[in-house]
């Protein structure tokens, strides 16, 4: 992997830029450049044919100065310790940028869930949470769904953990089904958060979402729901791609019908009245808003030089490389960075945990109103930070807001020794 495609190194670069620009003590970077704790576990699982398969799992805990570690669990064949460490780091800043009382964590198991039976998946899920039980808990570290994990898996893990403890601990995990302490609105939350910040960005740039053209890369939980929500705001969804193909219609498409087509045929490709489009074509096509909602490292420098969108809203984690970032900035593209654009999911996870702690549950409307308030405030804080200097782009601004929050928490807790007062009182210097 080329160095600029290593998500862990990319995340470190962003932190370094933010710490330097904020004029902070280098100790802040030394603490934040790595996870505070990492656990590797071995999970033996009895397969349906009676054999034993041994899986490797991880939990990385990046920083817990602002509150318990928080972040999902990924089940994917390519899971590595480095990836989990980077994702844990991103979670600290995702929570920080919108001001949630959490630090960041992430877990993963190297496995292919598509090849596991339901029984095998349940045994693996229970085995994983038993193996990391010592380091997780409602006040310690709170996992959630991530790539290829879902509410059912969260329910098994919550159940296993509760059985170990001898009482129900719903708050140990979020993204659960509604009947066992899940929150209304959690499923849509990542996409809803993204569509809220897109609306704020359009307002900032002075254009209306009515009739604005949108291209979405990825049609999973985030991409398909972002398309639906932006369509409801009056946008024209002109192109979408998933891992099997794409659909393009300059007159716009109905995302609800597109989802039905995907359920029926397994792909968005071939949706009536559309032309086929590739992922590379989609990223560089004429449109007002581009939403990368798929994988890491999609917008490289050469792709970025051809991006025509006015707004790029990163619903995925890490879709733009650092080189791509620089080119987008030079071209005057308004970027809504991943740690902000994808913070809606963990925000409603936080609401779920709060509701579990209270034992009292909110309506979907209450959840959505609270999400809206947090996302708008986060967006405005990042924009204000950006305006402090012409060398501050939206990604750096987002990291500066987040790093400052985490560093302040570390400082008042005494983790920075006699640099404390310097960091806690620090103001951002205008350029
Ligand atoms: N896995 C999601 C993310 O990367 C959600 C994490 C959570 O809800 O804790 O943001």
């Amino acid at each position: 992997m080329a160095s600029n495609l290593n998500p862990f190194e990319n995340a470190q670069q962003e932190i370094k830029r933010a710490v330097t620009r904020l004029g902070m003590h280098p100790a802040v970077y030394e603490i934040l450049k790595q996870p505070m704790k990492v656990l590797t576990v071995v999970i033996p699982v009895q397969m349906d044919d009676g054999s034993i398969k041994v899986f490797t799992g991880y939990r990385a805990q990046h920083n817990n100065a602002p509150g318990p570690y928080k972040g999902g669990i990924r089940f994917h064949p390519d899971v590595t310790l480095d990836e989990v460490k980077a994702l844990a780091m991103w979670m600290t800043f995702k929570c920080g940028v919108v001001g949630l009382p959490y630090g960041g964590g992430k877990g993963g198991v190297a496995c292919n869930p598509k090849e596991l039976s339901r029984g095998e998946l349940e045994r693996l899920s229970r085995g994983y949470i038993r193996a990391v039980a010592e380091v997780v808990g409602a006040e310690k570290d709170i996992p959630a769904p991530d790539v290829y994990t879902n509410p059912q898996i969260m329910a098994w893990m919550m159940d296993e953990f509760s059985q170990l403890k001898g009482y129900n601990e719903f708050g140990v995990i979020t993204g659960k089904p509604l009947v066992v302490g899940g929150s209304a609105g959690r499923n849509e939350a990542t996409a809803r958060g993204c569509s809220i910040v897109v609306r704020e960005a359009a307002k900032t740039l002075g254009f209306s979402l009515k009739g604005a053209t949108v291209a979405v890369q990825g049609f999973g939980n985030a991409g398909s729901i972002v398309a639906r929500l932006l369509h409801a705001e009056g946008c024209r969804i002109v192109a979408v791609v998933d891992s099997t193909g794409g659909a393009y219609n300059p007159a716009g498409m109905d995302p609800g019908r597109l989802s039905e087509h995907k359920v029926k045929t397994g792909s968005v490709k071939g949706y009536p009245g559309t032309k086929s489009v590739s992922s590379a074509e989609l990223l560089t096509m004429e449109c007002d808003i581009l939403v990368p909602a798929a994988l890491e490292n999609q917008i490289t420098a050469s792709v970025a030089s051809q991006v025509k969108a006015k707004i790029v809203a990163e619903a995925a984690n890490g879709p733009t490389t650092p080189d791509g970032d620089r080119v987008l900035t030079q071209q005057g593209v308004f970027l809504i960075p991943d740690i902000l654009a994808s913070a809606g999911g963990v925000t409603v996870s936080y609401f779920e945990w709060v509701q579990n702690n209270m034992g009292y549950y909110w309506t979907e409307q209450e959840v959505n109103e609270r999400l809206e308030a947090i996302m708008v405030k986060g967006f405005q804080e990042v924009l204000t930070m950006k305006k402090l200097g012409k060398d501050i782009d939206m990604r750096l601004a987002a990291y500066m807001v987040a790093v400052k929050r985490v560093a302040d928490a570390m400082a008042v807790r005494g983790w920075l020794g006699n640099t404390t007062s310097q960091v806690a009182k620090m103001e951002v210097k205008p350029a």
Side-chain angles (χ1 to χ4, degrees):
M1 196 184 260
S3 74
N4 72 340
L5 299 185
N6 181 322
F8 184 61
E9 288 168 13
N10 291 350
Q12 285 181 327
Q13 273 185 37
E14 292 307 332
I15 301 166
K16 187 154 217 167
R17 276 174 80 205
V19 169
T20 308
R21 188 62 182 79
L22 287 163
M24 283 177 168
H25 193 282
V28 174
Y29 175 69
E30 290 305 310
I31 299 174
L32 294 178
K33 74 176 186 190
Q34 60 207 330
M36 297 181 64
K37 201 187 270 184
V38 173
L39 182 63
T40 300
V41 295
V42 167
I43 314 157
V45 175
Q46 178 138 40
M47 307 304 276
D48 291 347
D49 65 3
S51 66
I52 302 284
K53 202 163 171 185
V54 180
F55 295 89
T56 304
Y58 309 98
R59 186 75 191 168
Q61 299 180 323
H62 177 252
N63 189 287
N64 68 349
Y69 304 104
K70 180 88 191 83
I73 299 166
R74 180 170 288 204
F75 281 4
H76 193 278
D78 300 337
V79 162
T80 61
L81 182 56
D82 244 16
E83 184 191 41
V84 171
K85 280 159 66 178
L87 289 161
M89 212 175 228
W90 275 328
M91 285 308 302
T92 299
F93 303 110
K94 208 183 274 197
C95 295
V97 76
V98 288
L100 305 181
Y102 289 138
K106 201 83 170 198
V109 177
C111 66
N112 187 350
K114 290 181 183 163
E115 286 172 358
L116 300 175
S117 71
R118 186 178 160 90
E120 289 165 346
L121 192 60
E122 176 173 352
R123 292 193 288 282
L124 175 63
S125 305
R126 290 184 184 274
Y128 173 79
I129 206 76
R130 265 199 318 274
V132 301
E134 264 171 64
V135 302
V136 300
E139 299 302 329
K140 261 190 200 174
D141 182 356
I142 306 134
D146 196 71
V147 173
Y148 292 157
T149 54
N150 57 30
Q152 174 61 75
I153 291 175
M154 299 304 112
W156 288 326
M157 290 188 179
M158 179 280 291
D159 181 69
E160 189 69 23
F161 189 81
S162 295
Q163 293 201 34
L164 271 175
K165 295 281 155 186
Y167 56 86
N168 274 344
E169 190 164 321
F170 282 0
V172 66
I173 213 158
T174 60
K176 301 179 294 295
L178 285 180
V179 287
V180 285
S183 175
R186 174 64 185 85
N187 197 39
E188 292 191 345
T190 306
R192 188 171 292 280
C194 182
S195 69
I196 292 168
V197 289
V198 165
R199 192 199 56 211
E200 291 304 298
K203 239 191 264 172
T204 307
L205 296 179
F207 74 88
S208 162
L209 286 185
K210 299 254 172 306
T213 52
V214 178
V216 183
Q217 186 202 34
F219 210 64
N221 178 267
S224 66
I225 304 178
V226 170
R228 185 155 61 67
L229 294 172
L230 289 178
H231 182 253
E233 296 262 359
C235 291
R236 221 168 352 126
I237 312 300
V238 293
V240 300
V241 295
D242 61 22
S243 55
T244 58
Y248 169 71
N249 183 347
M253 300 173 281
D254 179 332
R257 296 227 174 95
L258 256 172
S259 291
E260 285 165 20
H261 177 81
K262 186 172 160 96
V263 169
K264 243 187 272 158
T265 66
S267 174
V268 293
K269 195 176 172 176
Y271 178 65
T274 64
K275 277 196 208 139
S276 163
V277 66
S278 72
S279 208
E281 288 164 341
L282 178 140
L283 293 173
T284 57
M285 70 173 39
E286 281 299 339
C287 63
D288 297 312
I289 300 157
L290 174 64
V291 183
L295 302 167
E296 291 144 25
N297 297 328
Q298 299 298 295
I299 306 182
T300 57
S302 70
V303 173
S305 66
Q306 300 169 65
V307 165
K308 296 173 193 72
K310 298 189 185 88
I311 295 172
V312 172
E314 297 182 330
N317 283 321
T320 309
T321 65
D323 292 354
D325 235 13
R326 277 187 280 280
V327 176
L328 288 182
T329 306
Q330 278 159 18
Q331 294 187 165
V333 173
F334 192 99
L335 177 84
I336 315 175
D338 52 0
I339 59 170
L340 176 62
S342 72
V346 70
T347 300
V348 176
S349 273
Y350 163 55
F351 297 159
E352 181 174 331
W353 177 79
V354 168
Q355 293 169 83
N356 293 155
N357 289 345
M358 293 190 296
Y360 178 78
Y361 290 83
W362 302 336
T363 62
E364 187 165 350
Q365 191 187 341
E366 287 172 297
V367 167
N368 289 346
E369 282 169 9
R370 289 179 158 105
L371 173 63
E372 163 98 22
I374 287 187
M375 293 304 300
V376 170
K377 182 165 171 277
F379 179 88
Q380 291 304 337
E381 282 181 2
V382 172
L383 198 61
T384 304
M385 187 66 94
K386 177 180 184 290
K387 288 177 182 160
L388 285 177
K390 63 178 183 326
D391 62 327
I392 304 177
D393 56 54
M394 282 293 278
R395 192 181 312 278
L396 177 58
Y399 271 87
M400 285 166 72
V401 169
V403 166
K404 176 156 168 33
R405 249 186 207 124
V406 180
D408 282 350
M410 295 197 298
V412 293
R413 291 180 72 139
W415 295 9
L416 298 167
N418 61 12
T419 67
T420 297
S421 53
Q422 181 201 334
V423 174
K425 287 192 208 131
M426 175 212 55
E427 292 303 328
V428 181
K429 301 179 208 98

